[in-house]
Amino acid sequence: ILRVTGVQTCALPISAKYEAPKPPKDWKRITIDFYMEAECPGCKAFTTGLLTDALNAVGDWVELRAIPYGNAQLNNSVIECQHGPDECIGNKIELCMMKRYGVGGDWKAWYPAFKCIEASDDSPENASKTCLPDSGMDLAAIMDCAKGDEGDLLHMAAAQMTIDLDPPHKWTPWVLLDGKPLEEKTQEILAEICKKLPKSAQALIPQCSPKFKAVQGANSLAARRYPPIQKCYPTDPLSELVLGVH
């Protein structure tokens, strides 16, 4: 089963002129670990809404990792994705482009293509045909990776990272901030990031202010209430029993 709750989030426009201030060289970046799956409606909406707004606001103050596997099941070394084969190839496309273009933890190099794929109503593979070239990526190289042994190995590594989560994930999108799951506070990811910034940085990042308005008449990003995140729940019997999902 796939239980989905709530409605999709909507991105709040941010002025194209805004650029997040740079952190000091000795700043230890706040880590965001985003456990997701390419075709989960909630992951797609979270990427294009809450997550993008947060990243636009704080920029280099954070380090982002996306781990595409989510609620897939690993059976005899074969990964069965929750939303079918299209999701599996989507996961591998995203893993391959992150490996090739995310050298040194540079999430800004791969995030535009990642967001583009997640924003599309088309299959991840079809979306990649425009999203990757438009982001300056080598489509052929990424597809060779995704459809070859390297893609399988990267997907298996993502599976292991997800399986090793302690505590285990309860749904996707599942987000860790500095190693700790946000759970229901994923809805308030920007506010949670702002809390971790020094006061001096908060003063420089207008989106961290309760008085900030991204567009005339809009609520502050840190304080406004987005529509509830859609959640894709695991479908294996043990998870259903533990989480009470039927």
Side-chain angles (χ1 to χ4, degrees):
I1 63 170
L2 167 63
R3 196 179 89 181
V4 179
T5 60
V7 296
Q8 290 193 355
T9 58
C10 298
L12 183 66
I14 294 178
S15 170
K17 297 180 181 179
Y18 172 78
E19 184 174 342
K22 299 294 183 183
K25 291 183 179 180
D26 60 351
W27 171 254
K28 184 179 180 182
R29 293 184 181 183
I30 299 165
T31 59
I32 304 171
D33 289 327
F34 176 24
Y35 289 83
M36 46 79 67
E37 45 196 355
E39 291 277 71
C40 170
C43 296
K44 293 167 75 69
F46 176 74
T47 298
T48 57
L50 283 159
L51 181 59
T52 293
D53 285 347
L55 294 174
N56 283 344
V58 300
D60 291 332
W61 294 85
V62 299
E63 179 177 342
L64 173 68
R65 292 194 305 173
I67 303 93
Y69 175 80
N71 298 322
Q73 296 183 37
L74 182 59
N75 298 312
N76 297 320
S77 299
V78 176
I79 295 174
E80 298 177 2
C81 292
Q82 185 172 45
H83 301 92
D86 281 350
E87 180 166 78
C88 275
I89 190 65
N91 289 348
K92 290 187 279 189
I93 289 169
E94 291 172 351
L95 286 162
C96 287
M97 67 187 196
M98 286 187 280
K99 181 182 179 184
R100 184 178 181 92
Y101 293 96
V103 178
D106 183 11
W107 59 266
K108 291 183 179 180
W110 56 262
Y111 191 77
F114 178 85
K115 178 189 171 186
C116 179
I117 292 170
E118 291 300 303
S120 176
D121 291 328
D122 208 340
S123 70
E125 182 172 3
N126 284 340
S128 297
K129 294 174 184 177
T130 53
C131 290
L132 270 63
D134 286 353
S135 300
M137 292 185 175
D138 186 333
L139 176 62
I142 297 301
M143 295 309 300
D144 284 347
C145 169
K147 294 187 174 183
D149 291 342
E150 186 177 14
D152 289 338
L153 290 172
L154 291 171
H155 208 194
M156 194 65 69
Q160 195 62 56
M161 289 179 66
T162 306
I163 292 167
D164 287 346
L165 279 170
D166 185 17
H169 82 286
K170 297 179 181 179
W171 55 72
T172 58
W174 188 253
V175 180
L176 276 60
L177 205 60
D178 280 342
K180 296 182 179 180
L182 287 179
E183 300 200 26
E184 298 294 350
K185 288 185 178 181
T186 299
Q187 191 81 26
E188 309 294 337
I189 184 171
L190 177 57
E192 293 300 311
I193 292 171
C194 289
K195 290 177 186 176
K196 288 179 169 288
L197 297 173
K199 295 295 184 182
S200 57
Q202 292 182 33
L204 294 173
I205 298 174
Q207 294 92 327
C208 286
S209 168
K211 296 181 180 180
F212 174 75
K213 295 182 184 299
V215 292
Q216 187 174 4
N219 294 325
S220 77
L221 288 180
R224 81 183 294 260
R225 289 287 176 181
Y226 285 78
I229 293 172
Q230 292 186 346
K231 298 172 183 175
C232 294
Y233 289 86
T235 55
D236 61 285
L238 179 58
S239 293
E240 291 182 1
L241 178 64
V242 172
L243 297 175
V245 179
H246 301 289

